[in-house]
Amino acid sequence: MLSSINIKKFLYIKDIEIDFSPHMNVFTGETGVGKSLIIDAITFVLGEKGNYQEEDFVELTFEVENQYSEDGILTLARQIKNGKSIYYINGRKSGKSLLEEISKDLIEIHGQHYSQRLFDKEYHREIYDKYLKIEDKLIEYQKIYNEYQKLKKEYQEIIQKQSDRLRKIDFLNFQINELKNANIKEGEKQKLEEEYNYYLNIQSIKESIEFVKSLISEDNCGILQNVSLAVKSFSKISTINEKLSTLLDSLENAKSIIEEVYYSLEDFELDIDQNRLSMIEERLNTINNLERKYTTDEKGLIKLLNQMEEELNSLLHLEDKAPQLEKHLKDLEKQTIKMAKEISDIRKSKTKEFETLVVEHLKDLAFKSADFKVLIEEKQLDRYGIDKVQFLFSANKGFEPKPLDEIASGGEISRISLVLKLISKKSVNTLIFDEIDTGIGGMTAVSMAKKLKQLSKDFQVILITHLPQIAVIGDKHFFIDKKEEDGKTVALVKQLNSEERVKEIARMLSGIVNEKSINLAKELLKQGEGWTK
């Protein structure tokens, strides 16, 4: 419930704190004093747009147990600073959207200038189901429905995976064939690059070989000729001592090595095999393209092929769960639809009863020719069943009932909402009515007072009223007034004691406070006590 409102500054209200009753709270005051200011201050905190002033600050304190409360207390506040709104939850800055999300389950405002939750057709179903007392049935249904939805999602994922699996198998087969056909061997690329580099440099190699051969050649005083002469000369003296003999051996070895080099150069293949060169280029292009495609090197391609073959083998042997799941899903779907139809049958069987009860209450509230219908249409299966529930209303005889948002005024909606909440006991904890009594009086006002008081036994009610018949049912009665102070209008809010309350009821009854009106007020207060028993 809303336990208190603290207004540091709001329009022409300043430094006011109000502690509310958990049941019925009434606000009264002279015409033109701005009795709706308190409601405006509450809607200000809840995010209502308007022409607010710098440093406006209002804080609401709720007694509630939810994920945002701290030790059963939740505070919501709003401040205007530097022309911008700052929102607070439990004293800490917060976003507007979160505050609005929290507050929608705490407080509901009915009046000419406020958005009406009753225009939300989903709310119609909530009210009607609450009246039918089928919450346990819905919980049982939702367990099956949630299991059905979970299994349906799992089945769809498996079907998707199977489709993905087949695509993956096709893709892996393509990649594996591509790498297998390439038949890459470890170290192959290096050998090919060396051979390719040789062919590219064949002319330089040829020139170098011819030059070296000319140097070594026995003709024209070549190296080989000179070494041969040295060997011949040394062979004459090699027997003189061992050192000379060793030197001769070295010269003979050198001659053998040079001869071997020369003959190797003679046999060197210096012709270019264009077919071989083309094959090397093609093979290197294949390897390089695969390395770029799979972003790895030669060793990585060989490893990747092995990994792909393992993955393909795993996919080919995956167990197919779809048939078993499909059977279970169909069985669960039948159960879900069966229970949804059972709930639908209950809803349809009670429409006349509910309609009659609503109309009876509406007649007590000056809707003498009211017509009210519960329209139930089939919709796609969801967590609440297969029914779309909508309330239709007509205030005048001879006119077909239509959706509430098409024909009902703010005052009519407030009274319809009062009746529906009274019958269904479906509501948030705090209900605010801004002049719900507009346009009524006499016994209709008494009927409304009784219904409001009955409602306040289950919920907290805060209302602005101009009728004494309704003011007398308040557990707390607040008087709103205004005065001029230093040339400025200042609002005053006061909780009335017993004596002050009698005088306010007297003023509301006759416009003046005298002995006669006071006696009438006392009598009305006494009658009011009887209405609320």
Side-chain angles (χ1 to χ4, degrees):
M1 70 162 196
L2 178 61
S3 58
S4 67
I5 179 172
N6 183 8
I7 304 173
K8 296 291 185 185
K9 178 183 172 297
F10 180 73
L11 302 180
Y12 55 90
I13 306 178
K14 194 173 182 180
D15 296 326
I16 289 176
E17 186 165 358
I18 300 170
D19 294 322
F20 294 103
S21 163
H23 301 293
M24 177 60 70
N25 302 268
V26 298
F27 286 82
T28 64
E30 293 276 8
T31 301
V33 299
K35 293 190 289 294
S36 296
L37 268 177
I38 299 301
I39 298 178
D40 293 340
I42 292 172
T43 60
F44 164 74
V45 176
L46 303 182
E48 186 76 12
K49 294 180 180 179
N51 296 318
Y52 303 119
Q53 299 171 0
E54 188 69 13
E55 296 302 327
D56 278 356
F57 181 91
V58 182
E59 182 180 68
L60 307 178
T61 301
F62 294 87
E63 292 179 19
V64 64
E65 291 288 349
N66 63 22
Q67 67 185 97
Y68 303 101
S69 61
E70 297 176 358
D71 297 325
I73 299 297
L74 172 68
T75 63
L76 306 178
R78 181 182 178 186
Q79 179 184 27
I80 303 297
K81 195 166 187 178
N82 299 323
K84 295 182 178 180
S85 291
I86 304 173
Y87 294 88
Y88 301 88
I89 297 174
N90 294 327
R92 294 180 287 275
K93 288 183 180 179
S94 175
K96 177 183 178 183
S97 58
L98 178 58
L99 187 142
E100 288 178 330
E101 181 67 24
I102 295 171
S103 65
K104 75 178 184 180
D105 294 323
L106 298 175
I107 195 165
E108 196 174 303
I109 301 174
H110 298 273
Q112 194 72 34
H113 306 293
Y114 306 104
S115 59
Q116 300 287 356
R117 193 177 179 190
L118 206 53
F119 291 156
D120 178 4
K121 295 177 181 63
E122 183 58 29
Y123 190 50
H124 297 185
R125 182 205 51 76
E126 292 178 24
I127 290 173
Y128 189 52
D129 284 351
K130 184 73 174 177
Y131 168 75
L132 296 173
K133 294 183 174 61
I134 58 171
E135 292 96 333
D136 292 343
K137 188 83 171 173
L138 269 174
I139 290 170
E140 185 184 352
Y141 162 77
Q142 285 168 358
K143 284 180 181 177
I144 296 175
Y145 175 80
N146 291 338
E147 187 181 348
Y148 165 66
Q149 289 296 316
K150 183 180 177 183
L151 193 66
K152 186 178 179 181
K153 183 180 178 183
E154 185 181 348
Y155 175 74
Q156 289 171 341
E157 285 175 352
I158 284 180
I159 294 299
Q160 182 62 45
K161 282 180 181 177
Q162 283 187 336
S163 176
D164 292 342
R165 173 173 163 267
L166 293 174
R167 284 196 295 271
K168 183 69 173 174
I169 287 172
D170 285 343
F171 189 51
L172 281 172
N173 275 322
F174 169 78
Q175 290 179 312
I176 289 168
N177 288 334
E178 184 177 46
L179 292 175
K180 275 188 171 180
N181 290 336
N183 194 26
I184 298 169
K185 301 291 189 293
E186 189 172 344
E188 178 186 3
K189 183 179 178 181
Q190 183 180 348
K191 291 177 182 177
L192 289 170
E193 285 176 335
E194 288 174 358
E195 189 175 354
Y196 184 71
N197 191 53
Y198 170 77
Y199 280 121
L200 287 180
N201 293 281
I202 194 73
Q203 186 60 37
S204 297
I205 294 170
K206 191 174 185 178
E207 290 174 358
S208 294
I209 286 174
E210 291 300 325
F211 176 69
V212 171
K213 282 170 66 180
S214 67
L215 290 175
I216 295 174
S217 173
E218 292 182 344
D219 300 331
N220 301 322
C221 298
I223 294 171
L224 190 57
Q225 183 184 23
N226 289 329
V227 171
S228 296
L229 290 172
V231 169
K232 186 177 180 181
S233 177
F234 248 77
S235 62
K236 296 176 182 178
I237 61 173
S238 61
T239 57
I240 296 175
N241 61 37
E242 187 177 347
K243 188 174 182 181
L244 290 172
S245 178
T246 300
L247 288 172
L248 177 62
D249 291 341
S250 297
L251 283 170
E252 287 177 338
N253 288 335
K255 181 185 175 186
S256 297
I257 291 169
I258 292 170
E259 285 176 340
E260 185 178 343
V261 169
Y262 183 82
Y263 295 131
S264 293
L265 291 175
E266 280 281 308
D267 295 334
F268 216 93
E269 180 61 58
L270 294 175
D271 293 328
I272 298 176
D273 185 344
Q274 290 295 337
N275 290 331
R276 175 64 180 166
L277 182 60
S278 297
M279 187 277 290
I280 292 171
E281 286 179 338
E282 185 178 340
R283 185 64 176 160
L284 284 173
N285 283 336
T286 297
I287 296 171
N288 289 331
N289 287 337
L290 289 172
E291 285 180 341
R292 281 194 296 272
K293 180 176 179 178
Y294 293 101
T295 61
T296 187
D297 58 13
E298 180 185 71
K299 286 184 179 179
L301 290 173
I302 296 168
K303 184 179 179 181
L304 185 62
L305 175 60
N306 293 329
Q307 290 173 343
M308 286 178 175
E309 288 176 329
E310 288 175 7
E311 186 179 359
L312 178 62
N313 185 58
S314 175
L315 287 171
L316 290 171
H317 291 86
L318 268 180
E319 183 183 356
D320 187 1
K321 296 180 180 179
Q324 302 97 303
L325 275 179
E326 186 177 16
K327 183 180 182 303
H328 189 192
L329 183 63
K330 285 181 178 178
D331 291 341
L332 206 53
E333 184 179 32
K334 287 178 183 177
Q335 291 181 49
T336 308
I337 292 172
K338 181 176 179 290
M339 186 165 283
K341 286 180 177 177
E342 289 173 3
I343 292 170
S344 180
D345 289 341
I346 295 171
R347 286 172 177 153
K348 289 172 181 176
S349 70
K350 295 287 184 178
T351 56
K352 294 299 179 186
E353 176 184 297
F354 186 74
E355 290 165 357
T356 301
L357 193 56
V358 171
V359 169
E360 286 175 359
H361 278 280
L362 289 175
K363 284 179 178 178
D364 292 338
L365 300 179
F367 289 113
K368 300 303 180 185
S369 302
D371 194 4
F372 183 89
K373 297 293 180 186
V374 180
L375 177 64
I376 298 180
E377 298 175 306
E378 189 169 332
K379 66 173 184 179
Q380 187 175 353
L381 185 76
D382 66 13
R383 66 191 307 268
Y384 298 107
I386 53 173
D387 298 319
K388 181 173 75 173
V389 179
Q390 184 177 10
F391 297 151
L392 307 178
F393 171 75
S394 171
N396 302 302
K397 193 172 183 179
F399 289 86
E400 283 293 317
K402 292 185 178 180
L404 298 176
D405 57 349
E406 292 182 18
I407 58 169
S409 66
E412 289 172 337
I413 284 292
S414 295
R415 280 179 265 173
I416 295 169
S417 182
L418 167 61
V419 169
L420 292 172
K421 291 177 189 302
L422 196 60
I423 293 172
S424 67
K425 300 205 180 330
K426 166 69 182 174
S427 178
V428 297
N429 288 333
T430 300
L431 294 165
I432 298 177
F433 295 96
D434 184 12
E435 298 196 354
I436 187 176
D437 50 15
T438 300
I440 66 169
M443 288 308 298
T444 300
V446 173
S447 293
M448 178 175 285
K450 290 178 179 179
K451 295 182 192 302
L452 284 165
K453 188 62 180 182
Q454 184 65 36
L455 188 67
S456 72
K457 290 181 179 180
D458 298 304
F459 307 102
Q460 182 186 43
V461 178
I462 299 170
L463 62 87
I464 309 295
T465 183
H466 67 281
L467 292 179
Q469 296 97 320
I470 292 176
V472 298
I473 63 171
D475 295 298
K476 282 192 176 183
H477 187 156
F478 300 93
F479 179 73
I480 302 176
D481 199 1
K482 63 180 179 181
K483 67 175 183 178
E484 283 195 11
E485 194 175 272
D486 298 328
K488 293 182 179 180
T489 300
V490 178
L492 303 172
V493 181
K494 181 181 182 182
Q495 182 182 342
L496 302 180
N497 59 32
S498 298
E499 184 180 343
E500 291 167 334
R501 191 179 185 200
V502 170
K503 290 180 180 179
E504 172 60 4
I505 299 297
R507 181 199 66 77
M508 296 176 74
L509 280 166
S510 63
I512 58 173
V513 179
N514 55 29
E515 186 178 351
K516 184 178 179 180
S517 63
I518 285 176
N519 288 334
L520 288 171
K522 288 178 179 178
E523 179 61 28
L524 186 59
L525 282 162
K526 187 176 180 181
Q527 290 178 22
E529 291 176 4
W531 302 338
T532 60
K533 288 181 182 178

